[in-house]
Amino acid sequence: MPVIWAKRECTDTENPTGTEGPTRPEHENNPRYTIHEPYSHYQLCSTRERNRGLFGGPVILNGTKATNTRQNPDGTPYGWECPEERDYYPYWHPTIWKDIAIQTDDAKNRCDLFTKQSQNVLDKGTCSLPTYNYPFLCKSNGGDWNNMGKFNIASPKCMAAPWSAPNQLGVTSNGHPYSFNWTLPTTSQPLRCVVRIRYNITSTDISKSADAQMNARFSPFQNDMEVQLDAKKDPNIWSNVTLGTNGKAIGKTFEDRSFVFNIIPRPAELQDKTIYNLNVRGKRGNLVDIFPAMLYDYVPNPLLMYHDSLVHIQWSGSDYNPPARDLPGLAGTDRHNFVQIENKGSNYPLPLSSWTIFSHLSDPFKTSISIRLATANQTLSQCDSASEKTDCSVLNLAPAVFSVPPVELKPGEYSFMCTRNNRFGQAIMKGTILVFDNTPNVFAYAIPIAIILGILFSLIIIFGLVAYKNPSIIKPQKGK
């Protein structure tokens, strides 16, 4: 039974907000770590009593705080996330994460709960004495239970999760992974944001109402439990089998996070335009190195758009990938570029003078945007192939974060690739943009549809009148 949650956390501060690594407060503003949650978030979690009513199965928790969960019994810190908040939804305490969307296999019965319990629309409370997890314990020990407020934004979208093949890393029936098209929020000031995606999969052997009464020896399963298949225990039949059950894994929440990215205010001239982001996904390495992640790829791929829309080509990467992976460019770095190719099957870039994707634009902008995409914003005067660090042919002087202005494209099909990461016979990093003539005009179909509906309605009325005057045409006749 899968449930997928997508959440975002944004701040307008200049402090970096990235992934796991540090465990000390002084790391909060260190850009090497770029922590997602503030230290105060983890500090409250590590002092607050855990929810003792939760199902734990056979797992023994080695602590009493919200950092100790069935999946994290020893309270091991990962960045400054709160393990209890990460593992459970809807969470009963305030959180910094705003809900975007939920996909569930039981949308009919669960979406109402999920959307109404989101902090987007519901106040969440906490105790002035951070030890206490419940309003009653808080007040009886002299504390005040305070509602911290709701985000006052739209409740998350909730929908049925698509079918996916087991052991195929979320690949759905159309051959693509789970996905959700998120329309970025508008803002009047720059925001630094992170997206977190969590995936929970639960066995139907465990009731949705399972709680602490089914813990330890009362758990419906034990780790690596042995099962007797033959109730009669026939001595001639070996009927004991051991199951690969794991208390931490049945009903487990997995998590992925994005790099930090900025959402910036739209320029006045683009306020009413539809803008499509063309980004890069994936991780440095070969398929064995990066499993279960993906190789580099442009996304969305293909990108479908209309000529009165704009495409914003941009991406972000890291300088801290595992360094031992033998790939082009400086060890540990993500770098990409964008060069047009003749068609999807080509592995050779077209010269800039033959690019058609920007042929409708005027110079100097046309030449400028083409060069920036091809060179990934490298300072060409500093390039020197004699030194690895300044070898621009493999994008070693390119920044990890790249962006060009949004641009309109004329109708057509455009194929492109990354010269550094498209390695024929090993890995493919190509993309396609399909630009259509115009936005579909629903009014163009209104008259034909109205005519067809009018004809059908008229036929129904005529048939009804005929049947009324001649009931024998619809009334079965008695046999003679």
Side-chain angles (χ1 to χ4, degrees), residues 59-287:
V59 179
I60 304 301
L61 305 189
N62 299 319
T64 62
K65 304 303 180 184
T67 51
N68 303 101
T69 67
R70 181 165 56 90
Q71 289 184 218
N72 193 46
D74 296 326
T76 305
Y78 296 93
W80 290 326
E81 70 177 356
C82 179
E84 189 180 66
E85 185 272 338
R86 175 199 63 207
D87 293 350
Y88 295 95
Y89 185 87
Y91 194 51
W92 40 91
H93 277 290
T95 176
I96 61 173
W97 296 94
K98 300 176 177 65
D99 298 326
I100 298 172
I102 302 162
Q103 295 181 337
T104 171
D105 69 332
D106 190 12
K108 179 180 178 181
N109 296 313
R110 307 184 80 180
C111 276
D112 187 61
L113 167 69
F114 287 154
T115 54
K116 289 181 178 179
Q117 288 294 318
S118 166
Q119 197 178 339
N120 289 11
V121 296
L122 181 68
D123 284 340
K124 301 284 182 164
T126 189
C127 186
S128 58
L129 304 174
T131 300
Y132 300 106
N133 199 10
Y134 307 99
F136 172 76
L137 290 176
C138 175
K139 294 176 182 178
S140 62
N141 284 278
D144 295 316
W145 188 262
N146 301 310
N147 282 332
M148 303 304 291
K150 52 190 175 183
F151 295 130
N152 281 320
I153 58 177
S155 58
K157 294 184 178 181
C158 187
M159 65 211 75
W163 173 91
S164 69
N167 303 322
Q168 299 298 312
L169 303 178
V171 174
T172 60
S173 56
N174 63 9
H176 295 285
Y178 278 135
S179 65
F180 174 78
N181 288 326
W182 178 36
T183 300
L184 297 177
T186 56
T187 177
S188 59
Q189 58 185 345
L191 298 175
R192 295 174 62 85
C193 299
V194 172
V195 168
R196 175 179 70 166
I197 299 174
R198 293 181 294 166
Y199 177 91
N200 176 273
I201 184 165
T202 302
S203 167
T204 55
D205 299 310
I206 308 301
S207 168
K208 293 178 182 178
S209 60
D211 56 22
Q213 297 181 60
M214 302 172 70
N215 289 349
R217 63 189 181 90
F218 300 106
S219 173
F221 66 92
Q222 299 295 324
N223 292 333
D224 298 324
M225 62 190 300
E226 190 173 280
V227 176
Q228 173 66 251
L229 296 179
D230 179 25
K232 297 180 180 179
K233 297 184 179 181
D234 187 330
N236 298 314
I237 299 177
W238 183 268
S239 59
N240 286 0
V241 294
T242 299
L243 307 181
T245 47
N246 184 331
K248 296 180 183 179
I250 292 185
K252 183 174 182 178
T253 299
F254 301 85
E255 178 184 67
D256 285 297
R257 298 191 179 206
S258 72
F259 288 121
V260 177
F261 60 94
N262 292 330
I263 299 178
I264 61 175
R266 285 187 176 217
E269 65 272 17
L270 300 181
Q271 288 296 326
D272 299 322
K273 289 285 188 178
T274 298
I275 302 175
Y276 293 92
N277 282 309
L278 180 64
N279 302 132
V280 169
R281 68 178 177 185
K283 196 169 183 180
R284 181 181 174 91
N286 59 46
L287 285 171

Side-chain angles (χ1 to χ4, degrees), residues 425-438:
Q426 300 179 51
I428 293 175
M429 187 173 177
K430 300 179 187 177
T432 301
I433 300 176
L434 293 169
V435 186
F436 300 100
D437 246 336
N438 51 19

Side-chain angles (χ1 to χ4, degrees), residues 309-345:
S309 303
L310 296 95
V311 58
H312 189 185
I313 303 172
Q314 56 181 310
W315 53 75
S316 60
S318 171
D319 289 336
Y320 300 104
N321 289 288
R325 294 171 180 174
D326 185 20
L327 292 171
L330 292 175
T333 62
D334 295 316
R335 295 296 185 270
H336 317 284
N337 67 344
F338 177 112
V339 297
Q340 190 172 354
I341 53 180
E342 187 173 356
N343 54 57
K344 299 174 186 176

Side-chain angles (χ1 to χ4, degrees), residues 404-477:
V404 292
V407 62
E408 289 187 7
L409 302 179
K410 65 179 182 179
E413 179 175 340
Y414 308 99
S415 297
F416 49 91
M417 75 174 193
C418 172
T419 57
R420 170 165 146 164
N421 301 314
N422 187 71
R423 304 186 307 285
F424 184 75
Q426 300 179 51
I428 293 175
M429 187 173 177
K430 300 179 187 177
T432 301
I433 300 176
L434 293 169
V435 186
F436 300 100
D437 246 336
N438 51 19
T439 306
N441 184 357
V442 294
F443 297 105
Y445 303 98
I447 293 177
I449 292 173
I451 292 173
I452 294 172
L453 291 176
I455 293 172
L456 291 174
F457 185 68
S458 299
L459 290 173
I460 292 172
I461 292 177
I462 292 171
F463 179 79
L465 291 173
V466 171
Y468 176 76
K469 293 183 178 181
N470 301 279
S472 61
I473 66 172
I474 59 172
K475 185 175 180 179
Q477 301 295 316

